Amino acid sequence: MKTLLPLALLAASLPAMAAQPDVLPVRQIGLELARDIAMAAVEACRQDGYNVAAVVLDRAGNLQVALRDTLAARHTLEIAERKAGMSIMSGSGSGEFRAARGDIRPELNHIDGLIVMDGALPIRAAGSLIGAIGVSGAPGGEKDAACAAAALKKVEERLEFSM
């Protein structure tokens, strides 16, 4: 009887498994859009006198674009990437996640590719999460987040009307 239970569970789940498509359509951020977002974030921070790094990750958390302004510290690239990783993982702004889940912040900061700090925002196109931008180097995560938000605002039409 014990061997029949797993078989019964498998048989019961077959209709659900059969309903899944073999190939999934995936919305993915393109190189040009990722580059434009990263550069717009660097430029927004420059206007405020900050030298930053901006990193754009695709929806799977893979590095798409990394830019470091000439005088930005070298560690800003890694921090920006890890901030963006947190935004991909949570599907929200890294600062928003930080405020909501401070209880697990120490544990998450020990996971490769993640850091719970303000300064990253998800990138959505027509409602789909296609990536995230992380910014690091301004004096405070809220300033990094403002540069990321300015960059997304600059490409807002491209994101809203993407196919």
Side-chain angles (χ1 to χ4, degrees), residues 20-26:
Q20 300 302 311
D22 289 334
V23 178
L24 300 173
V26 177

Side-chain angles (χ1 to χ4, degrees), residues 26-29 57-63 88 129-132:
V26 177
R27 298 181 67 87
Q28 183 73 12
I29 191 167
L57 302 181
D58 69 15
R59 66 186 312 274
N62 298 311
L63 181 64
I88 290 288
L129 180 67
I130 61 167

Side-chain angles (χ1 to χ4, degrees), residues 52-55 63 65-69 72-83 134-137:
V52 301
V55 172
L63 181 64
V65 172
L67 296 176
R68 184 186 61 82
D69 205 352
R74 75 178 190 90
H75 294 96
T76 56
L77 278 169
E78 178 185 353
I79 294 167
E81 184 175 355
R82 292 178 66 194
K83 287 179 180 184
V135 178
S136 178

Side-chain angles (χ1 to χ4, degrees), residues 42-52 69 137-139 143-144 147:
V42 169
E43 289 171 346
C45 275
R46 275 183 178 173
Q47 288 178 358
D48 292 330
Y50 311 133
N51 293 292
V52 301
D69 205 352
K143 292 175 179 71
D144 292 330
C147 294

Side-chain angles (χ1 to χ4, degrees), residues 24 54 73 77 84 90-91 102 113 123 156 159:
L24 300 173
L77 278 169
S90 67
I123 302 170
E156 185 174 42
L159 292 169

